[in-house]
């Protein structure tokens, strides 16, 4: 079971936060393969691009894009992308930040699957969706290794069809 391979770390990255560490899942080849298969099979034939959110989302998103043989688009934190970008600000469970995407990585012909590691409040993913849509793309759906239902992210992403491999 995928959820058994998630490690919970108390008080990280700051006191009061219960951090759900997916790296223990990533190190288990069998469970990682099951999760990537679940994400890819749900969206096979429905998308032509995979975008993923910095940083752990990159690992998952790159594997999904590779398995589907599709373009991979990174959505990064400030100062990480070398070409001209657009950006948006967002808030997560424990931080305020911004996301950036290269202006020329996406166009109106893209039907995107947006990937991140954990669905919490949905704020980070919603910011990434706005960036993709601002460039004219259609976000077909979203995928996550883990969902934290108590934080309400599924409601935030209503209409973006979240697929989550596990819940805690």
């Amino acid at each position: 079971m995928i959820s058994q391979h998630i490690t919970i770390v108390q008080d990280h990255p700051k006191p009061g936060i219960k951090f759900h560490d997916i790296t223990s899942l990533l190190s288990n080849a069998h469970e990682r393969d099951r999760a990537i298969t679940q994400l890819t099979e749900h969206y096979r034939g429905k998308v032509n691009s995979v975008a993923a959110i910095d940083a752990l989302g990159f690992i998952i998103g790159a594997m999904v894009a590779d398995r589907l043989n599709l373009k991979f688009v990174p959505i990064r934190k400030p100062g990480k992308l070398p070409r001209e970008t657009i950006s948006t600000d967002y808030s997560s469970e424990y931080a305020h930040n911004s996301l950036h995407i290269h202006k020329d990585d996406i166009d109106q012909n893209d039907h995107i699957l947006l990937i991140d590691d954990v669905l919490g409040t949905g704020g980070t993913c919603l910011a990434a969706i706005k960036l993709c849509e601002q460039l004219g793309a259609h976000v077909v759906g979203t995928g996550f290794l883990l969902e934290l239902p108590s934080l309400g992210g599924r409601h935030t992403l209503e209409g973006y069809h979240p697929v989550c491999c596990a819940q805690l």
Side-chain angles (χ1 to χ4, degrees):
M1 177 177 260
I2 291 169
S3 61
Q4 294 174 333
H5 298 279
I6 306 294
T7 303
I8 297 174
V9 181
Q10 296 293 334
D11 298 322
H12 180 80
K14 65 183 191 179
I17 299 295
K18 187 170 27 169
F19 186 80
H20 295 77
D21 180 17
I22 65 146
T23 61
S24 49
L25 171 64
L26 295 175
S27 70
N28 183 303
H30 176 72
E31 293 300 319
R32 181 185 66 233
D33 180 67
R34 283 184 55 212
I36 298 305
T37 297
Q38 185 175 343
L39 292 172
T40 56
E41 292 311 308
H42 188 81
Y43 285 106
R44 186 177 298 281
K46 299 175 184 172
V47 297
N48 63 7
S49 301
V50 175
I53 301 168
D54 201 347
L56 290 173
F58 286 0
I59 297 167
I60 305 151
M63 287 189 277
V64 169
D66 184 63
R67 190 136 341 148
L68 292 172
N69 195 32
L70 298 176
K71 170 174 76 171
F72 176 76
V73 178
I75 300 174
R76 304 224 45 200
K77 294 186 176 125
K80 304 292 184 183
L81 294 173
R83 300 188 317 271
E84 187 176 0
T85 65
I86 62 168
S87 67
T88 190
D89 295 330
Y90 72 97
S91 294
S92 70
E93 299 87 314
Y94 49 82
H96 300 286
N97 211 331
S98 65
L99 292 176
H100 296 249
I101 190 169
H102 282 129
K103 284 178 115 176
D104 58 355
D105 275 353
I106 290 179
D107 63 40
Q108 70 263 9
N109 296 319
D110 286 332
H111 290 76
I112 295 175
L113 169 57
L114 186 59
I115 298 288
D116 203 3
D117 58 339
V118 178
L119 173 57
T121 64
T124 306
C125 190
L126 192 58
I129 289 168
K130 288 178 183 177
L131 287 175
C132 294
E133 290 178 345
Q134 187 176 341
L135 292 171
H138 175 67
V139 177
V140 174
T142 55
F144 307 87
L145 288 184
L146 176 65
E147 178 182 6
L148 306 175
S150 64
L151 297 178
R154 185 170 291 275
H155 177 71
T156 302
L157 299 179
E158 192 174 323
Y160 294 102
H161 316 288
V163 171
C164 303
C165 298
Q167 292 183 344
L168 285 179

